Amino acid sequence: MNSSQLYRTGTYGMEVLTLPRLYIPGVVIKQSSVTPVSIPKSGVLNVVIAWRAGAIFQKEGNELKWVVNAGHTGLRATNSNCYPATTA
């Protein structure tokens, strides 16, 4: 956060290790310049799993994308920041 890294020039696809994963395609790195990358504000997800199995999905349009397993072998309880923050 508010830091810089040196990279070779070119176009990169970035992956931010959040739940769910955040992909930022087409980040162009030019020589001797700074390329700001904006990451959406996070939201908070509070989960308490009462069942032994389940999963958390992210809705994108009419499609559901798997985020993480929950329950017996996965996530049991969490208070996590999730990206991007949206309201339903």
Side-chain angles (χ1 to χ4, degrees), residues 49-88:
I49 305 300
W51 299 94
R52 292 191 164 257
I56 296 174
F57 292 84
Q58 177 183 16
K59 186 174 181 181
E60 291 184 4
N62 292 328
E63 197 174 311
L64 293 177
K65 294 191 175 187
W66 174 85
V67 174
V68 66
N69 286 332
H72 182 67
T73 59
L75 183 68
R76 290 185 189 264
T78 186
N79 182 332
S80 300
N81 288 335
C82 294
Y83 294 89
T86 58
T87 56

Side-chain angles (χ1 to χ4, degrees), residues 11-15 22-28 37:
T11 302
Y12 291 85
M14 294 182 61
E15 178 180 4
L22 177 61
Y23 299 99
I24 305 170
V27 177
V28 178
V37 176

